[in-house]
Amino acid sequence: MNPNDSKNPEGGPPVAEYASKSQEVVLRSHEYDGIQEYDQLMPNWWLAIFFGSILFFVGYWVFYYNFGLFESDQEAIGKQIQVIEKAKAAALEEMLGKLNDDALVGTWATDPAAVAAGKQTFLGNCIACHGENLSARIDAGGGQFVPLPGLPLNDGEWKYGAKPMDIFRLINNGTPADSAGHNGAKMAAWGQILPPMQIAQLTAYLIHENPKDFAKGE
Ligand code: HEC
């Protein structure tokens, strides 16, 4: 230690004795580039906050992470997701209670509002893979057609079942887990994204666009 540091050269209090009176200034003897250093304790309010927050952390850590007394953000979000999943499952349950092949063909697909809503949802979510005209390909001009990833929805073929409820379930659940998909491409479960009402409207739209496939009473 620099011996000059132990005493205040200006004859004031020794350096180790911190300022005791309010407003008293005690400087250490050294000076670098004109910069001097206080030799004072931090004020009590500052120390109280400093040590207080250390104590608070210990308590927080023990109660929060070791005793698990409080709910973590992850648990809170998990609970909320469960509530949402339950509500979704209940809505699907309710919709399935109302839906059947006859209702989809006879009621939903003949309701212009339901068909128009289904078309709207289709244009917003489905045309990237199935095409605006349901053919699953884009006319590139000059007789060239670029295939899209999805299956055509106007070719009279329904790979996972041709009943209206099969179509509803396929849109809702996506490609079945045990299927390899179409050229390796599987369709997502739209029930994760769209409410059952919209899936029913989509089904109504597809039925409406394929009247021969879904003649009433078949
Ligand atoms: C990211 C691309 C993609 C989007 C977007 C998409 N699909 Fe598909 N869809 C596919 C693929 C791929 C298949 C074929 C799945 C298979 O063979 O397992 C398919 C199959 C289908 C089938 C069965 C067709 C058949 O001939 O059996 C229906 C119905 C269908 N999609 C409806 C929809 C609807 C409705 C939407 C919009 C909500 C939609 N798809 C959006 C990729 C997509």
Side-chain angles (χ1 to χ4, degrees):
M1 191 166 100
N2 180 348
N4 284 340
D5 256 5
S6 62
K7 282 253 171 21
N8 187 327
E10 269 113 45
V15 177
E17 282 172 23
Y18 306 104
S20 49
K21 281 177 264 153
S22 171
Q23 307 293 316
E24 184 183 357
V25 172
V26 179
L27 293 171
R28 304 192 71 168
S29 57
H30 55 228
E31 178 188 325
Y32 299 106
D33 295 338
I35 298 170
Q36 284 182 280
E37 206 184 333
Y38 281 130
D39 197 0
Q40 274 150 285
L41 271 181
M42 299 302 287
N44 285 338
W45 64 261
W46 191 96
L47 291 171
I49 293 174
F50 179 65
F51 290 114
S53 44
I54 292 175
L55 284 178
F56 176 79
F57 162 71
V58 174
Y60 189 84
W61 179 69
V62 168
F63 287 116
Y64 203 95
Y65 290 103
N66 293 295
F67 295 165
L69 283 193
F70 304 101
E71 196 177 57
S72 70
D73 286 351
Q74 207 175 356
E75 286 163 349
I77 290 171
K79 267 191 197 163
Q80 283 181 23
I81 289 178
Q82 266 183 7
V83 170
I84 294 170
E85 290 292 340
K86 256 197 198 154
K88 273 168 68 178
L92 180 63
E93 201 63 35
E94 198 196 326
M95 181 56 80
L96 286 176
K98 283 192 271 184
L99 280 189
N100 54 55
D101 292 338
D102 286 341
L104 276 169
V105 176
T107 313
W108 287 75
T110 54
D111 173 3
V115 173
K119 179 172 188 181
Q120 216 47 46
T121 308
F122 191 86
L123 293 178
N125 295 277
C126 320
I127 58 174
C129 298
H130 293 288
E132 213 171 323
N133 61 1
L134 311 185
S135 67
R137 51 187 205 169
I138 289 180
D139 187 349
Q144 298 275 10
F145 291 93
V146 180
L148 295 172
L151 280 171
L153 303 176
N154 61 356
D155 61 353
E157 278 175 32
W158 302 98
K159 182 171 167 186
Y160 297 105
K163 291 245 189 284
M165 284 308 286
D166 296 334
I167 311 283
F168 177 92
R169 286 209 185 81
L170 179 74
I171 300 172
N172 192 69
N173 304 337
T175 293
D178 56 3
S179 166
H182 169 57
N183 295 332
K186 299 187 173 195
M187 191 168 76
W190 288 95
Q192 296 293 323
I193 298 162
L194 302 173
M197 173 63 101
Q198 274 178 291
I199 310 272
Q201 289 165 344
L202 281 166
T203 311
Y205 170 64
L206 292 181
I207 293 169
H208 182 265
E209 296 301 301
N210 293 282
K212 276 197 238 121
D213 295 1
F214 303 99
K216 218 182 157 186
E218 256 180 46

